[in-house]
Amino acid sequence: MMPLDGMSRARRAAYLLAPMLVCLAVYWRAPFVWFRMDDFSWLGLPLDAHNLGLFHVLFHPEGQGTVRVLSERLFFLVLSAVFGLHAWPFRAVALGTWLADLALIQLIGARLTGSRAAGLWAAVLWTMSATLVLPLAWASAYNEVLCAFFMLAAFYARLLWLESGKVRWRWIEAGAYLLGFGALELMVVYPVLVMVHAAVNPQARQRWSSALWMFVPAAAFGLAHMYLIPKTASPAYQLFLDRRLLGDFFAYVLWTVGPSRMEVVDAAWRQPGIALSKLIAVVLAAFALWKLWRREFAALFMGAWFVIVLAPVLPLANHLSDYYLTVPGIGLAWLAGWAIVSAWRAGWPARAAAMLLAGLYAAGSIAEVDRIAAWQMNVSAYMRVLVRALEDTTAEHPGTALVLTGVSQDLYLAGFLADPFRLLGIHEVWLAPGQDQILDRPDLEGTDRFRTSLEQLAPRLARGDIRALQISGATVVDVTAAYSAVVSALYADAHPNFVDAGDPVYTSALGAGWYSIENSARWIGKSATLDIGRVTSPQSRLYVTGHAAPAAVEASAVTLRFLADGHEIGTAKISQPGPFTVDFPMPPGSAVARITVECSRVMRAPGDSRDLGMILRTFTVR
Amino acid sequence: MRGLRAALPLLVAFLALGPAGCKRKKKEQTPTPEPAAVLLSTVNVSDPAGAVQLASGFFELESNTWRWTARKFTVVLRPPEGAGERGARLELHLNLPGVIVDRIGPVAVSAEIGGRALAPERYAQAGDYVYVRDVDAGSLRSSAVAIHFSTDKALPPGGADSRELALIVTAVGLAAK
């Protein structure tokens, strides 16, 4: 049967458009989700192509040891090269591909079940699943959507070939199958799917040998993947072939068939959601058994599709991910669509039960999608605001380093590890010391590269080499002046017994009477003050270094009088030009002493209206 | 007061630049404008303008009102006018949540400025408190001071929360005497 035969053009369009419109209604937020996490690694591909060459960018294994030339390399390389840091083209391509997937799900479902309505229901049900949020709203998961397209396209072409015998469909199947390897490694299971289909379908069984060649590229790809591509050491991608497989399998089943994660909406809905999912799973299993009892083996193929396509990722016990269900779930969607149509034809009680279950599934799934997509949109929006602010900052201060305050856990996880900063030419980015909510989290990866110290920051902030940005929700503010003052105070607090008047880091310790820094020191006028910490030793002394300019002592010596908290601690007569060091006993007193330096006279330099007393540099109490 | 604070940098800039405009080619006549002038003497933890002064030990803003702190937390404040001569009053507005008292008992809060410890205060009941201490002038002569707070104990990380939790803080400041 041809699914669209006998339909008017309008009905045909309505038939194909219905699931697409449902998809766009459910996933209305997807176009507004920005980049996050791994996206920033892939968005750097144009930079890598420039530095490392196109071949490296297209074929060098990355991430978890994958080479997905079409769904990751070319997808990001082309779109980011053309559109830069704009996410909407990525979303448009993902949604467009998924709409094509939905049409293929419909058409294949209609052929497998002999019911257009079953195909329609399958596409509608599956596009409402919350497991699709990531594939549709995260560019790095586009590989799932594209793999679904190639797998469905290849299989649909096969069905058309089996039906028509036209050889062009075999070429299309072969092309889609081989291109699928550029989307996702999952494509290796396609020959197995074809064999299972041949086993359950008499027409396909007669031509089962036509698929044998497909095992060759699958095996070659598998061997190349196994022996040529270095494996990641990440525990997340470690394979476990133990009893966890069964538990994870059932977890995947529940994620597929119902709203089993309603806690994202409200914790109170968690258990009802799980209960509903289990009920749907039992009903679907019963339906499949009933179909098998009636020797309608397409149900076996649908179940096998789920199991076979899920099998490669099932051993990843540390990386259970809902988006892994994008392609496997299609098998159960066909089964569910078929079940609804069968129930509809079985009379009012079955019809009502099916509609109730489908309605509850839809309500729960849409609520899940709404919450998960909203979270994705918010988190990625914060990342977008930050990146745009960084763009402005680097445009205004080329080559600057950055220190960030107020980075939340969600924002950090949204992309810091994938280094979005290199996309803007920023190579030095730190979280402000004291951002303990991130830096002291042992469970967060990669925090070390964002760690710095007051000792590293203070001098560079004082020199103006670093801009400080404060992030507060969706607001990013340049707080360089305030943060410099904070760091200066913290630095002085950490180094209480020393002041370098020639280092802007110590500005907060200086009182009145100091001119701006010249040659790593400062002139004072008639007098100047500064604060310095005492030490507990009764024998402690104050050591002062300075430099006598020839003009200052040319006429006569300058006498410097030193006071601590208003009490004189000594005088020094500076008569020779050049550097000098003087020291005096420090009397006991409060933790911080106010030091006053008084000059016996001041002078004026030609062209300079300042009253110049003496050049002073460091003060040390020890 | 906020308006005056905002106007202060402009005023300083005007005073610094004004003479330069009148007497071209002359070098700077006054010391460098004080960068700490942009800091606040009292920081409301919900005020983004003061967030940069919450130097360490403060967690994310919650309910747009308050923040959890770790056992040790530090804030940088600008001493109020005249504090270098008369001293100032340190005020920490805190809440001791029932969950803390129930699980770890009474909590003592203390502070330290410029190496000088301020007397601790012990809080045995859950509720709102203000930890108030006089700070001597000698500790407040800098244009900005780091104030280190600590509690004698805190709720350790565990369960769903990986943070060490001690107090809920709404504001901290130095008030003129």
Side-chain angles (χ1 to χ4, degrees), chain A residues 409-561:
Chain A
Q409 174 187 318
D410 281 347
L411 182 63
Y412 181 83
L413 292 175
F416 273 54
L417 285 181
D419 196 1
F421 313 107
R422 72 175 179 134
L423 304 175
L424 308 170
I426 304 171
H427 302 292
E428 291 181 299
V429 180
W430 305 285
L431 299 183
Q435 287 274 287
D436 307 330
Q437 60 196 14
I438 300 296
L439 292 170
D440 284 356
R441 286 277 301 275
D443 56 319
L444 293 182
E445 292 178 16
T447 53
D448 281 348
R449 58 166 294 201
F450 296 106
R451 200 180 293 276
T452 185
S453 66
L454 284 177
E455 283 67 26
Q456 289 174 304
L457 275 184
R460 294 189 61 187
L461 263 169
R463 286 200 302 269
D465 292 347
I466 299 173
R467 305 303 299 175
L469 300 183
Q470 177 181 294
I471 300 145
S472 176
T475 306
V476 180
V477 182
D478 189 322
V479 292
T480 304
Y483 188 67
S484 295
V486 167
V487 167
S488 178
L490 292 169
Y491 191 85
D493 187 68
H495 304 82
N497 314 119
F498 177 77
V499 173
D500 185 345
D503 186 339
V505 165
Y506 292 92
T507 301
S508 68
L510 303 182
W514 297 88
Y515 293 108
S516 54
I517 294 171
E518 296 171 67
N519 300 320
S520 301
R522 292 179 192 257
W523 278 100
I524 64 169
K526 181 71 177 166
S527 69
T529 62
L530 64 94
D531 294 315
I532 192 166
R534 280 189 166 89
V535 295
T536 51
S537 167
Q539 285 83 41
S540 65
R541 298 182 71 82
L542 172 68
Y543 295 84
V544 181
T545 65
H547 186 96
V553 293
E554 191 175 38
S556 63
V558 175
T559 300
L560 300 178
R561 181 171 177 246

Side-chain angles (χ1 to χ4, degrees), chain A residues 377-391:
Chain A
M377 195 166 79
N378 287 341
V379 167
S380 66
Y382 292 154
M383 201 70 208
R384 181 180 59 210
V385 169
L386 173 61
V387 169
R388 296 299 181 218
L390 296 186
E391 281 181 323

Side-chain angles (χ1 to χ4, degrees), chain A residues 139-165:
Chain A
S140 292
Y142 175 64
N143 51 59
E144 296 283 347
V145 179
L146 191 61
C147 178
F149 174 77
F150 285 128
M151 202 174 285
L152 291 166
F155 189 65
Y156 187 58
R158 180 164 197 83
L159 294 180
L160 293 178
W161 170 65
L162 290 172
E163 198 170 271
S164 67

